[in-house]
């Protein structure tokens, strides 16, 4: 694994901060976009899988950790990327997928998941035991969270040694934003208090040392805190540096630590750059890139209706509406309001719960129909202007559907790339 992650804290303390984008997605188009950008920049690319997406039981993608690694490495080989530039991270690894079960049962499953991640070659491990399980108090105290995280860490250490993998680096913390964004309207989000951050670090250090995990704790590179950024279904809370100044100052006491920023999706570039400068150099993005993918797909769906005789009126959108209403378990409880509001959220929410459906057969078939409809069809520049006004029409002229989708995702990744590499003289060209 690249040493880049180990250099983040040193760079900050030396007054030359830089960051890294954490691409948290299992979607093949998003992965290909991230890998193409890495091929152009020749910088390491951090790709993370979450506990719900990928786990030893398959997750909602149907992939175990080793399958995810195989998928990413296959795409990297197809794109000609040196595999040494890949960094694999495991996100929110803990009992969250089984939080409706008793703590001991959920933790055993979490241990099996962590073991599978480390054995598959994931070198950045975020241990998240912050979610309450059945019978737990609604909000767990720091010591309980730290104790459960230490138990998971012990499994990770053993798995790395057994599989002859490099020992992982760890991300810890207790104020962990809900995976995938908030499920309600937000007016404001308060940053973690400095005292709470200091206490969290101290308790984890104490618990890990008591468990004989001093070496593992020394490889902890970041703690997850809340810098005051979040997104809900239809609004975004933008980072306000003065509000988080006290929290950022905590890092002055820890030469080897930075903070990891979750839920940075949809933040303006200036806010992302400020996060990096202020000690939050690991910027996680997930729904934001699949939102861009869906946005481009829907634009192409409308474009094809204008351009291809017999294609119909938005058949892709209609197929996704039928799929999501027929299988509501992945959005119900996250979206609220009357039927009109729910319909809009199913397709256009910042929470992007539609991402859970793209790998279903019905969605794959609908996307394939769109690809076939536009295959070998020259898209006029005027229609590119109409449906992709964010691009210079000449940049997309002659591009395949897949390339247009990758360009849409890459536009988001480019924002992050510029924010985390603020001293770069220029941004790389859009991947071909």
């Amino acid at each position: 694994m690249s040493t880049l992650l180990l250099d983040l804290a040193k760079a900050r303390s030396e007054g030359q901060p830089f960051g890294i984008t954490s691409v948290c997605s299992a979607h093949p188009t998003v992965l290909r976009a991230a890998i193409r950008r890495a091929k152009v920049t020749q910088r390491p690319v951090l790709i993370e899988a979450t506990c719900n997406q990928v786990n030893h039981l398959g997750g909602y993608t149907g992939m175990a950790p080793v399958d995810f690694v195989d998928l990413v490495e296959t795409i990297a080989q197809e794109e000609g990327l040196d595999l040494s530039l890949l960094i694999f991270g495991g996100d929110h690894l803990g009992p969250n997928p089984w939080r409706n079960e008793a703590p001991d049962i959920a933790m055993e499953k979490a241990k099996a998941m962590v073991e599978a991640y480390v054995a598959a070659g994931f070198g950045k491990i975020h241990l998240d035991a912050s979610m309450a399980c059945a019978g737990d108090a609604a909000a767990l105290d720091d010591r309980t969270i730290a104790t459960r995280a230490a138990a998971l860490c012990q499994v990770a250490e053993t798995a790395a040694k057994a599989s002859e993998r490099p020992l992982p680096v760890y991300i810890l913390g207790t104020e962990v934003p809900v995976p995938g964004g908030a499920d309600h309207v937000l007016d404001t989000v308060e940053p973690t208090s400095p005292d709470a951050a200091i206490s969290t670090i101290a308790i984890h250090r104490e618990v890990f040392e008591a468990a004989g995990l001093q070496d593992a704790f020394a490889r902890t590179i970041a703690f997850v805190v809340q810098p005051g950024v979040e997104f809900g279904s239809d609004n975004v809370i933008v980072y306000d540096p003065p509000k988080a100044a006290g929290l950022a100052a905590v890092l002055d006491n820890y030469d080897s630590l930075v903070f990891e920023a979750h839920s940075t999706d949809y933040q303006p570039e200036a806010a992302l750059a400020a996060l990096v400068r202020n000690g939050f150099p690991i910027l996680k993005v997930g729904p934001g890139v699949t939102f861009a993918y869906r946005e481009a797909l829907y634009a192409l769906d409308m474009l094809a209706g204008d351009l291809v005789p017999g294609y119909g009126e938005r058949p892709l959108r209609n197929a996704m509406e039928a799929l999501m209403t027929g299988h509501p378990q992945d959005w119900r409880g996250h979206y609220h309001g009357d039927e009109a509001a729910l319909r809009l959220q199913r397709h256009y929410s910042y929470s992007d719960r539609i991402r859970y459906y793209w790998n279903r057969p019905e969605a794959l078939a609908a996307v394939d129909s769109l690809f076939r409809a536009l295959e070998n069809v020259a898209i006029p520049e005027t229609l590119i202007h109409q449906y992709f006004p964010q691009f210079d029409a000449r940049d997309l002229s002659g591009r395949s559907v897949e390339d247009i989708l990758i360009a849409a995702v890459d536009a988001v990744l480019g924002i992050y790339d510029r924010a985390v590499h603020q001293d770069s003289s220029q941004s790389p060209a859009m991947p071909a």
Side-chain angles (χ1 to χ4, degrees), residues 183-185 233 331-342 345:
D183 61 3
H184 56 282
V185 175
S233 185
W331 59 266
R332 182 176 288 162
H334 297 270
Y335 297 154
H336 308 286
D338 60 20
E339 184 49 43
L342 292 174
Q345 290 171 80

Side-chain angles (χ1 to χ4, degrees), residues 144-166:
T144 298
I145 295 171
T147 299
R148 291 180 181 178
L152 296 173
C153 181
Q154 186 64 70
V155 171
E157 294 286 287
T158 300
K161 294 170 185 176
S163 58
E164 299 183 344
R165 299 281 190 182

Side-chain angles (χ1 to χ4, degrees), residues 52-193:
N52 291 317
Q53 285 174 336
V54 174
N55 58 52
H56 63 300
L57 301 178
Y60 73 77
T61 63
M63 286 188 286
V66 68
D67 301 319
F68 182 81
V69 170
D70 287 345
L71 171 63
V72 174
E73 290 187 342
T74 296
I75 294 173
Q77 289 168 341
E78 292 171 355
E79 295 294 333
L81 180 70
D82 186 338
L83 296 186
S84 68
L85 292 176
L86 293 174
I87 303 173
F88 288 97
D91 197 29
H92 292 285
L93 302 190
N96 183 54
W98 308 284
R99 62 187 180 275
N100 293 327
E101 302 186 46
D104 55 341
I105 296 173
M107 280 295 293
E108 286 304 310
K109 292 180 178 179
K111 290 176 182 178
M113 175 176 62
V114 168
E115 180 180 25
Y117 265 85
V118 174
F122 287 75
K124 175 184 177 288
I125 301 296
H126 169 214
L127 298 175
D128 178 8
S130 65
M131 299 295 182
C133 299
D136 280 333
L140 300 180
D141 62 90
D142 276 7
R143 190 165 296 276
T144 298
I145 295 171
T147 299
R148 291 180 181 178
L152 296 173
C153 181
Q154 186 64 70
V155 171
E157 294 286 287
T158 300
K161 294 170 185 176
S163 58
E164 299 183 344
R165 299 281 190 182
L167 294 172
V169 299
Y170 294 102
I171 311 295
L172 304 173
T174 58
E175 288 211 19
V176 184
V178 176
D183 61 3
H184 56 282
V185 175
L186 300 169
D187 295 319
T188 185
V189 175
E190 289 301 314
T192 301
S193 75

Side-chain angles (χ1 to χ4, degrees), residues 55 76 113 223 256 262 363 397 420 429:
N55 58 52
M113 175 176 62
F223 273 74
S256 62
H262 287 220
S397 179
V420 301

